Amino acid sequence: MLSTLIAKTFWLPEQASTFAKSHDALFYFIYWTMVIFFVAIVGTMIYFAVKYKKRSDDDRTSPLEGNTKLELAWSILPSFLLIVMFAWGFKGYMSMLIPPANATDVHVTGYKWGWNFTYHTGDVGNNELIVPLGQPIRLIMSSEQTSPDDMAVLHSFYVPAFRIKRDVLPYRYTVLWFEATELGSFDIFCTEYCGTGHSNMIGKVIVVPPEDWEAAISSGRDFVDDGSMGTLAEFGEMTFGRAGCPACHSVEGQRLTGPALNGVFGREEAIEGGAPVMVDEDYLRESIMEPQAKIVNGYPRTMPTYAGQLSPDQIMGLVEYIKTLQ
Amino acid sequence: MSSTAIGADSHGSSGHEEKNYLNATRGLKSWIFTVDHKRIGIMYLGAILTFFLIGGLLAIAVRLELFSPDPVLTKDPSLYNKLFTLHGAIMVFLVLVPSIPASIGNFILPLQLGAKDVAFPKLNLASLWVYCIGALFLIAVILTKAVETGWTFYTPYSKDSASSVVLATLGVFILGFSSIFTGLNFIVTIHKMRAPGMTWRRLPLFVWAMYATSIIQVLATPVIAITMLLMLLERTLGIGIFDPALGGDPVLYQHFFWFYSHPVVYVMILPGFGIISELVTVHSRKNIFGYNAIAISSVSIAIIGFLVWGHHMFVSGQSPLASVIFSALTFFVAVPTAIKVLSWVATMYGGSIRFTTPMMYTFSFLFLFSIGGLTGLLLSTLATDVHLHDTYYVVAHFHYVMMGGTLIAFIGGIFHWWPKMTGKLYNEKWGNISAILVFIGFNITFFSQFVAGTQGMPRRYYTYAEQYQPWQQLSTIGSWVLALGLFTAAGVLLKSIFGGQRSPHNPWGAVSMEWETATPPIEHNFHEQPICEHGPYDFPEIDHTMGPAH
């Protein structure tokens, strides 16, 4: 037991993403600040306890009731350290929020109890996320129900070796990105309590050399049964036609009943009676499931909801298809 | 508060037998329908310690299951989930929230003010009854409706859990009423019933802490009622508020929950701060270092505590801007808290420190709470919180604060005021041994959880990856030492009731007003209205001829 304790890095797991190094530097800065303050406080306490231990019933004690200079000093001086911690943590947090433009998107679906990973190629992996070494990966995550009788619940996607974590919400997309720096296999844990199988909701990230990546993910099964479909976006294009979307949405720029969809992704749209929104995956999804929520200025409120009519895969495909429209 | 009362058994108690609050009236009814704040405090103490025992046994069961990733106690993960839900809910809502204010606070606060009771004695009794009803209701809901959501009751898990969460919140709401009653009572009592001469500057710091706590109780508790109403509307009318299937937002529930529950963290810890201010002065024979700073920091913690709830949600999907603001505000809370700790340590300077049992618990508090407070820095920092959020690191952090802080102070306070409450002395040597055992057991149990957490072990796991097993096992072994220490403390106190020496009038030589009256106190606290002539920490040992530098 003891040997296992010593053999491992005492505080943090291995570093396997670009975030890990900068995270750990901040971690140890705060850690040593904590240690120094702790030793100073408890050391002083022990020193006083020994030095001023009761000697006799005739002990006289100091009339000291405070010291303004000392009190001001210990109120103000540590604040500078706190500001450094805050600013450093802020910087790290922002870098985790903003993925690079060249990141590859992978859709993540959390369910009770496991993870599905859908790649742009249309391949699906279960509980195994395969990513290329040294390339930024952007995860578009949502939680789905396993059966119509049950509810989709909160999960959280956590890879300790990458130092990343983000809650996965029902019927909504949250985004997380990373770039793996080590080949190998790393734990994925669910860290938002999700019921009976919570602790079994364990997956692996497998980091492979970039040249092996396409082959590695295509070893997974194809999520479209008929085997005819290619990429996720192509599947989306098929769905787009089948669900009747072209009746109101052009993909070449004409104004029909609804807005044209080419070039819409990543654009800022003016919204009727609300603040402008940046068109991202979450807005596209919301506009399919709950079209009345945020209507683009100047368009009628005529689109029906597709909630319950499209499968999560179809929504995923539609979103990816719309992203490809220029 | 004449100085002749200090240090010795100079009046009252020993010779003639005057009736005290315990034997003034007899029979079960004289307790159930009492309006005496001391009896209500004692009954609260009994109820809270009973729930502490139950919650503790549940913790032992949880730790036992975690001894191995394979099944130990049960093969059913949902039973494990119920165990930790019950442990968390009992410890937070039935033990920590009422712990110090309802028991020691009820007993001591009016005595420290020189009052004959709290302002509204019947409301005080109602508070106890409501607490008992709420406690039984909450436990019944968790047991019968199979709530296994954890004490935070986050929605949604399943359709079944959604309905039982409404009932569980109702339980918390009922308990909240008892908190509001106590809080309201204390605020009015502190404002209106202080003895002549007891200026705000002469209030014992325990009273200041109770004052800050009461403000939070009165202001924060209604939010849980609002949450419950919204949940009821959602369930009965199908309006989507929290349930995403109805178009609601589960993150909104988290905002509501923490808007209540974060201030409540300070309801739990501020009374502990109050006790430590009393203990460190009395047992060091020193005036408090920085009275104003400690009093003001209690109130400022109460205020800032309302503005930091979002730091529980850095990875929840709340807006990044909100996370940044909450992170910055959270660092502000660190400052008044640090001021308190440093002031307590400075109070020991130049003292004549008695290594009594209450003082041993005070040392333990300063050690453990320092760790609890400092480890919060890694959680208020955004980038490091992402890695540590919802891991065992958080579990360890809040146990260091809540158990190492609040409950250690609570136990220290019980030992300090035990002679006042019961009129009996306990065995100091065994009292000290209990403090040392609790200290060692606590550190083994929870320090190992810091390491498991930084290495990535998520909380609320029935089974876990095998690399965490050594730390889990160490933690489980520590829980046995901790339990041994707590049972030792209980044994020491129980034995004193049935065979302890009669306590002298003022065993610690304290000079605050609760020691002015008989030990144990007479039914109406004081024979005549006491007059406050000096501060609560003007001990006779203090040598005013010395320069302050000595």
Side-chain angles (χ1 to χ4, degrees):
Chain A
M1 186 170 123
L2 197 64
S3 59
T4 339
L5 293 186
I6 293 165
K8 289 204 62 87
T9 323
F10 191 67
W11 288 110
L12 293 162
E14 71 264 66
Q15 301 177 332
S17 79
T18 49
F19 296 132
K21 266 206 167 57
S22 60
H23 167 277
D24 294 3
L26 174 57
F27 179 94
Y28 280 111
F29 168 71
I30 300 174
Y31 172 75
W32 285 112
T33 311
M34 277 160 32
V35 169
I36 290 165
F37 272 82
F38 177 75
V39 169
I41 292 168
V42 173
T44 312
M45 177 189 90
I46 293 170
Y47 175 73
F48 284 172
V50 173
K51 180 153 189 227
Y52 300 111
K53 189 173 181 211
K54 181 187 172 189
R55 307 273 174 235
S56 76
D57 286 341
D58 302 328
D59 277 357
R60 307 296 285 162
T61 64
S62 157
L64 184 67
E65 292 184 13
N67 179 323
T68 313
K69 272 187 199 154
L70 183 61
E71 288 175 59
L72 280 177
W74 75 34
S75 307
I76 295 166
L77 293 180
S79 307
F80 293 107
L81 276 172
L82 297 182
I83 290 169
V84 173
M85 287 176 200
F86 166 75
W88 194 341
F90 169 69
K91 191 169 155 267
Y93 187 67
M94 291 318 283
S95 72
M96 288 169 150
L97 285 177
I98 303 164
N102 63 341
T104 307
D105 291 349
V106 178
H107 282 262
V108 178
T109 311
Y111 62 91
K112 280 155 81 175
W113 287 276
W115 303 100
N116 279 330
F117 302 101
T118 310
Y119 302 94
H120 64 288
T121 54
D123 294 294
V124 177
N126 182 245
N127 290 334
E128 240 182 42
L129 170 64
I130 302 170
V131 298
L133 180 75
Q135 287 178 15
I137 297 292
R138 182 163 166 272
L139 303 179
I140 303 158
M141 310 188 293
S142 76
S143 164
E144 303 293 345
Q145 64 205 66
T146 33
S147 78
D149 302 330
D150 207 354
M151 296 170 109
V153 303
L154 299 171
H155 303 283
S156 193
F157 186 90
Y158 176 39
V159 183
F162 293 175
R163 316 285 189 268
I164 54 166
K165 181 182 293 135
R166 191 105 184 137
D167 284 6
V168 179
L169 306 175
Y171 316 117
R172 216 169 101 181
Y173 287 131
T174 51
V175 171
L176 183 64
W177 81 276
F178 62 88
E179 185 181 321
T181 54
E182 299 289 331
L183 294 173
S185 159
F186 305 97
D187 289 318
I188 301 169
F189 294 132
C190 174
T191 44
E192 189 62 73
Y193 175 73
C194 57
T196 314
H198 174 50
S199 60
N200 289 320
M201 199 167 156
I202 291 178
K204 293 274 179 198
V205 188
I206 304 192
V207 183
V208 296
E211 59 275 16
D212 299 345
W213 186 50
E214 298 261 344
I217 55 174
S218 71
S219 64
R221 71 193 155 83
D222 195 336
F223 76 96
V224 187
D225 300 333
D226 62 10
S228 63
M229 289 315 303
T231 67
L232 192 53
E234 281 165 352
F235 176 62
E237 186 175 6
M238 183 181 83
T239 309
F240 192 77
R242 283 189 186 165
C245 309
C248 300
H249 293 284
S250 149
V251 294
E252 279 149 358
Q254 304 96 308
R255 179 182 171 130
L256 304 176
T257 314
L261 296 179
N262 50 323
V264 79
F265 187 78
R267 196 163 72 196
E268 198 173 77
E269 290 281 19
I271 296 298
E272 207 178 287
V277 293
M278 176 65 78
V279 179
D280 55 10
E281 286 92 352
D282 198 43
Y283 176 69
L284 289 177
R285 181 194 176 110
E286 185 187 52
S287 300
I288 298 167
M289 307 304 281
E290 217 187 316
Q292 312 294 328
K294 294 181 187 114
I295 296 276
V296 175
N297 247 345
Y299 285 91
R301 293 179 170 271
T302 50
M303 179 165 161
T305 172
Y306 283 81
Q309 299 178 38
L310 296 171
S311 72
D313 287 344
Q314 287 175 313
I315 299 165
M316 213 182 274
L318 280 175
V319 166
E320 286 306 314
Y321 170 60
I322 294 169
K323 280 161 72 176
T324 62
L325 299 171
Q326 290 310 311
Chain B
M1 272 205 200
S2 57
S3 54
T4 53
I6 289 148
D9 191 8
S10 58
H11 62 220
S13 69
S14 57
H16 57 97
E17 276 302 329
E18 194 185 6
K19 293 260 187 202
N20 60 46
Y21 80 101
L22 290 166
N23 58 17
T25 52
R26 293 195 176 275
L28 191 61
K29 266 168 87 181
S30 78
W31 281 84
I32 295 176
F33 296 104
T34 185
V35 288
D36 181 349
H37 68 98
K38 300 182 290 301
R39 285 190 167 192
I40 293 171
I42 293 293
M43 285 189 282
Y44 251 125
L45 184 64
I48 289 164
L49 291 178
T50 307
F51 287 125
F52 182 47
L53 174 67
I54 297 170
L57 292 174
L58 288 163
I60 293 290
V62 166
R63 285 285 2 134
L64 201 58
E65 178 54 58
L66 292 170
F67 194 77
S68 157
D70 302 319
V72 178
L73 272 187
T74 169
K75 288 192 168 63
D76 177 13
S78 79
L79 177 62
Y80 170 82
N81 295 343
K82 272 170 225 153
L83 286 177
F84 78 68
T85 300
L86 211 49
H87 163 72
I90 287 179
M91 286 304 200
V92 170
F93 298 112
L94 305 187
V95 179
L96 283 162
V97 171
S99 62
I100 297 168
S103 62
I104 296 178
N106 251 327
F107 195 103
I108 294 299
L109 181 121
L111 289 168
Q112 284 196 325
L113 294 175
K116 68 178 191 298
D117 207 314
V118 291
F120 309 113
K122 284 177 185 157
L123 191 67
N124 203 18
L125 180 62
S127 152
L128 174 67
W129 288 0
V130 170
Y131 168 79
C132 291
I133 295 166
L136 296 177
F137 183 83
L138 183 63
I139 291 177
V141 169
I142 294 175
L143 289 179
T144 59
K145 302 290 282 186
V147 180
E148 40 167 315
T149 58
W151 73 276
T152 50
F153 308 129
Y154 273 17
T155 52
Y157 293 95
S158 66
K159 287 213 159 107
D160 299 336
S161 71
S163 59
S164 46
V165 161
V166 180
L167 289 173
T169 317
L170 179 62
V172 175
F173 172 65
I174 298 171
L175 289 164
F177 258 103
S178 86
S179 297
I180 293 180
F181 289 170
T182 306
L184 201 64
N185 231 330
F186 284 0
I187 293 173
V188 178
T189 308
I190 294 167
H191 271 276
K192 304 304 286 182
M193 299 182 69
R194 305 194 306 276
M198 185 169 288
T199 58
W200 288 89
R201 182 64 180 72
R202 281 183 182 166
L203 281 185
L205 285 161
F206 179 69
V207 176
W208 269 107
M210 283 296 132
Y211 187 67
T213 306
S214 303
I215 291 173
I216 307 176
Q217 281 176 327
V218 170
L219 292 181
T221 315
V223 178
I224 198 80
I226 297 170
T227 315
M228 196 199 61
L229 272 177
L230 291 173
M231 286 164 91
L232 275 177
L233 286 178
E234 180 168 65
R235 308 293 337 147
T236 53
L237 303 178
I239 306 168
I241 298 167
F242 304 125
D243 180 355
L246 298 171
D249 185 354
V251 180
L252 184 65
Y253 174 81
Q254 299 177 21
H255 278 290
F256 270 97
F257 182 83
W258 289 116
F259 190 87
Y260 164 70
S261 292
H262 194 81
V264 165
V265 169
Y266 298 101
V267 166
M268 301 183 220
I269 192 65
L270 282 171
F273 292 168
I275 286 185
I276 295 303
S277 297
E278 301 298 303
L279 266 47
V280 76
T281 48
V282 172
H283 299 275
S284 304
R285 322 303 301 156
K286 275 285 307 292
N287 207 323
I288 193 84
F289 184 95
Y291 179 97
N292 290 341
I294 292 185
I296 293 166
S297 62
S298 284
V299 179
S300 53
I301 287 172
I303 295 166
I304 307 171
F306 274 99
L307 305 174
V308 298
W309 78 90
H311 70 210
H312 296 269
M313 301 167 58
F314 288 162
V315 302
S316 71
Q318 80 176 349
S319 103
L321 178 66
S323 293
V324 170
I325 292 169
F326 282 122
S327 167
L329 287 168
T330 302
F331 280 108
F332 277 110
V333 188
V335 176
T337 313
I339 290 173
K340 281 175 180 291
V341 173
L342 295 168
S343 301
W344 290 321
V345 172
T347 299
M348 292 163 61
Y349 170 83
S352 168
I353 299 166
R354 274 85 166 140
F355 281 48
T356 55
T357 304
M359 194 64 194
M360 294 301 279
Y361 278 97
T362 304
F363 290 141
S364 181
F365 172 96
L366 288 171
F367 186 101
L368 302 175
F369 183 73
S370 295
I371 293 180
L374 286 164
T375 50
L377 292 172
L378 276 169
L379 297 173
S380 23
T381 305
L382 287 162
T384 43
D385 179 68
V386 169
H387 175 59
L388 298 172
H389 181 81
D390 271 337
T391 66
Y392 265 65
Y393 183 91
V394 176
V395 177
H397 163 71
F398 70 67
H399 279 91
Y400 265 86
V401 175
M402 290 291 119
M403 181 162 189
T406 305
L407 287 176
I408 295 292
F410 184 38
I411 299 169
I414 293 173
F415 274 105
H416 179 78
W417 282 294
W418 189 257
K420 187 88 234 169
M421 294 193 242
T422 62
K424 294 296 178 68
L425 288 181
Y426 48 82
N427 184 318
E428 279 269 4
K429 188 179 127 205
W430 279 98
N432 286 11
I433 289 172
S434 82
I436 292 165
L437 281 174
V438 167
F439 176 78
I440 294 170
F442 181 90
N443 280 301
I444 299 174
T445 309
F446 293 107
F447 201 82
S448 47
Q449 297 187 4
F450 276 126
V451 187
T454 53
Q455 289 182 359
M457 165 86 207
R459 66 195 283 202
R460 295 176 172 172
Y461 264 31
Y462 162 74
T463 179
Y464 49 84
E466 61 181 20
Q467 68 261 32
Y468 304 116
Q469 193 177 8
W471 299 108
Q472 292 286 3
Q473 291 187 339
L474 201 58
S475 179
T476 302
I477 293 166
S479 71
W480 301 334
V481 181
L482 180 53
L484 182 67
L486 290 169
F487 279 119
T488 307
V492 169
L493 292 174
L494 286 176
K495 189 165 175 297
S496 81
I497 293 181
F498 300 109
Q501 257 188 316
R502 179 94 208 226
S503 167
H505 165 65
N506 189 353
W508 314 121
V511 297
S512 47
M513 214 168 244
E514 75 269 29
W515 301 99
E516 182 84 341
T517 184
T519 298
I522 56 168
E523 195 180 5
H524 294 291
N525 292 356
F526 301 94
H527 283 296
E528 52 200 59
Q529 174 66 60
I531 309 288
C532 179
E533 285 160 350
H534 53 74
Y537 311 116
D538 285 337
F539 300 105
E541 288 88 344
I542 295 174
D543 186 352
H544 291 283
T545 60
M546 263 194 239
H550 294 281

